[in-house]
Amino acid sequence: MRRRMLIVGNWKMNGLIETAQELADGIVAGLGARSGRSLPCEVVLCPPATALLTVHQRLDGSVVKLGGQDLSEHESGAHTGEICGIMLRNVGCRHVIVGHSERRADCGEDDAKVARKMAAAFRDGLQPIVCVGETLNERERGATLEVIGAQLAALVPYVPRELTRRQTLVVAYEPVWAIGTGRNAELEQIREVHGFMRRQLEEAFGADAARMRLLYGGSVKPANAGSIFGLEDVDGGLIGGASLKSAEFLAIIDAVPEKF
Ligand code: PEP
């Protein structure tokens, strides 16, 4: 089954309106300058919530799509400070990151909550990009696959049975020890976890698993992107730090191989 590569930029809590505009403009212009050949991947930018509308306007007419960094599991109502899926759709989002390890750590989001948020994203017509990953301690005590297995298993009952091309499961494997540390996982470690996740999704979803994309995230840079994206079960990347500079982000997109 053909899976289009997907590159997602997670800007985290960085950027005011002016810098967000500049960054979005730089990425759109860079991709426009490459338009002689069609893009080898889908590109999604996830700015902070305060810049979503502005970035949506800057992306107008380009192939780049917009995503949120988080959403509430609730549909609306008395949830001060929260943003629901319909609100994200209202400012132009089609995607949303769910269960990023920084939210799991900072906001105490556990596997059950992450699964409910993913369900809310499906319900509200968004494409969830669900993050999983082990801590350094879990890796060092040999529990990596057990942790990833449990994180994925928590999602399974909440994935709709009727998946579409626009709404399917996207999972980003992000070893917590590799995020923002400059230390990315070795190719063999990524291969092992992605192969494991693919098999678990096949067991849970049968043939539908073939359209679910598996991204890698954790200190992806232009220098290592090509070899990571070249791995068989890697369908793209979730990019943090390197998505904050248009030249670096564009160089990562340039490293996406034509896999199919
Ligand atoms: C992330 O935040 O999802 C991430 C992968 O960050 P970085 O690329 O900076 O490691």
Side-chain angles (χ1 to χ4, degrees):
M1 151 85 64
R2 184 187 156 92
R3 287 186 295 272
R4 188 146 195 245
M5 297 285 281
L6 171 63
I7 303 295
V8 182
N10 174 16
W11 296 0
K12 311 193 186 192
M13 199 173 70
N14 293 296
L16 303 178
I17 296 295
E18 298 73 20
T19 41
Q21 283 175 344
E22 226 173 274
L23 185 50
D25 289 351
I27 291 165
V28 169
L31 293 177
R34 289 160 170 78
S35 63
R37 58 194 172 86
S38 61
L39 273 186
C41 58
E42 208 177 324
V43 178
V44 177
L45 300 182
C46 301
T50 48
L52 280 171
L53 186 57
T54 304
V55 173
H56 172 58
Q57 287 157 353
R58 309 307 269 211
L59 299 182
D60 190 32
S62 85
V63 292
V64 183
K65 295 173 186 147
L66 189 70
Q69 295 179 10
D70 175 48
L71 85 167
S72 167
E73 67 189 89
H74 304 288
E75 267 186 284
S76 66
H79 303 285
T80 303
E82 295 271 48
I83 297 174
C84 64
I86 299 297
M87 290 170 176
L88 292 177
R89 291 274 310 274
N90 193 228
V91 291
C93 292
R94 289 291 169 270
H95 297 69
V96 64
I97 299 170
V98 177
H100 191 282
S101 61
E102 286 154 12
R103 291 204 61 83
R104 290 180 189 252
D106 294 354
C107 309
E109 293 188 7
D110 60 11
D111 291 348
K113 187 165 184 81
V114 171
R116 292 196 301 275
K117 286 188 169 207
M118 178 197 70
F122 279 120
R123 177 196 67 210
D124 295 338
L126 291 160
Q127 169 61 71
I129 299 159
V130 186
C131 302
V132 299
E134 82 285 4
T135 62
L136 188 57
N137 177 281
E138 287 161 343
R139 175 159 284 276
E140 284 175 348
R141 64 182 164 83
T144 298
L145 299 185
E146 189 191 318
V147 170
I148 307 291
Q151 289 173 338
L152 283 184
L155 303 176
V156 170
Y158 293 87
V159 175
R161 297 296 124 177
E162 299 290 313
L163 294 169
T164 64
R165 201 171 54 81
R166 275 187 60 173
Q167 264 197 316
T168 179
L169 183 59
V170 176
V171 179
Y173 168 52
E174 299 208 303
V176 179
W177 47 272
I179 296 180
T181 57
R183 178 181 168 193
N184 65 301
E186 287 165 23
L187 294 181
E188 197 41 51
Q189 293 172 323
I190 301 172
R191 195 199 315 273
E192 182 192 29
V193 174
H194 278 240
F196 171 80
M197 294 197 297
R198 177 68 60 203
R199 284 190 298 279
Q200 187 167 340
L201 294 179
E202 280 166 359
E203 274 166 32
F205 300 105
D208 277 347
R211 49 160 77 162
M212 298 176 176
R213 286 182 283 187
L214 302 180
L215 314 184
Y216 170 77
S219 298
V220 176
K221 305 278 180 249
N224 59 26
S227 50
I228 295 171
F229 298 158
L231 293 172
E232 194 187 332
D233 268 313
V234 175
D235 306 310
L238 180 51
I239 320 296
S243 71
L244 293 171
K245 290 194 183 118
S246 55
E248 271 196 55
F249 190 61
L250 290 164
I252 287 172
I253 293 170
D254 285 338
V256 173
E258 296 278 0
K259 273 195 176 169
F260 300 98

